[in-house]
Amino acid sequence: MPPGMSLREAARKAVVACVSDFAAKGARPRLALVSVTLPPRTTRPQVRQLASGLAGAASEFGMAFLGGDTNGGEGLSITVCAMGEAPRRVPRRSGARAGDIVMATGPFGHAAAGLAIATSRRRLAATVRFAAAARRALVRPTPPLRFCAGAAHLFTASMDSSDGLAATLWEIASQGRVRIEVDAAPVGGGVREFAAENGLDAMGLVLYGGEEYETVFACRASSRPALRRRAARLGVNLLEIGRVERGRGVYLADSGRRSRMRNAGWRHLSA
């Protein structure tokens, strides 16, 4: 939990972490179990905040909690296990083929900027509007559940982006044994200016920061019009970021330069 994040927001985000994976596969979460570990000094109002966050998320995403477990421990821990309904054809990570286009359901970099603002030892310069957008991306992300539920049958490969854009693209490229060329990095509004003013790496925030909970997917070029129409109806900021080619690796074109993207981001169980 970054500084300034409420218990209600933390509980909701624990649910979002599950919902985002469902969204990436076009599935709908229906039921969930939750296990909570509470520190000894947890107060009744704090418990109410956690319960409120879980209940609000269940209502928001059309889920019901079946039960779970409660324990005491040194630190707060919220663990959610969700179950739901998958579409007839679930898009894999390995389906991207040469000629496909690559899309993302929103911009990147705001969540990493929000974390930088919340944790920096120095006061980072940011407009009120940008700081608000960055905080919202960090503590209240919203996966594109409705969009993907009706669009995933058009995906050839897909993945949730919470580990970072670079890690997601590399996983899709590696699983499909293809090369991904990123022609238009999905840089969030104001991210470049925020980074420049504070001496930060804008592309580092966009590619490696993670926590966006967007869906990154490949699809046939012929599916582009249908996907854009659905995105427009639901208010999803669908961005075409690149293409799939024969070969290996992930490459980025930025500011007139083409370079091999680092395979970096969140690494589970890393030393």
Side-chain angles (χ1 to χ4, degrees), residues 85-145:
E85 298 171 341
R88 184 170 298 178
R89 188 191 73 82
V90 176
R92 301 185 178 188
R93 298 181 179 184
S94 59
R97 294 293 178 265
D100 287 355
I101 58 175
V102 181
M103 291 186 160
T105 58
F108 285 71
H110 284 139
L115 184 61
I117 292 170
T119 59
S120 177
R121 293 183 179 180
R122 60 188 175 93
R123 185 178 179 85
L124 298 182
T127 65
V128 172
R129 184 175 182 179
F130 180 83
R135 183 188 187 280
R136 185 168 58 252
L138 177 65
V139 304
R140 195 176 173 80
T142 301
L145 187 62

Side-chain angles (χ1 to χ4, degrees), residues 56-68:
S59 175
E60 180 181 354
F61 299 117
M63 303 164 59
F65 282 100
L66 296 177

Side-chain angles (χ1 to χ4, degrees), residues 205-217:
L205 297 175
V206 171
L207 298 177
Y208 311 114
E211 293 291 296
E212 272 82 14
Y213 296 97
E214 300 290 352
T215 295
V216 175
F217 63 89

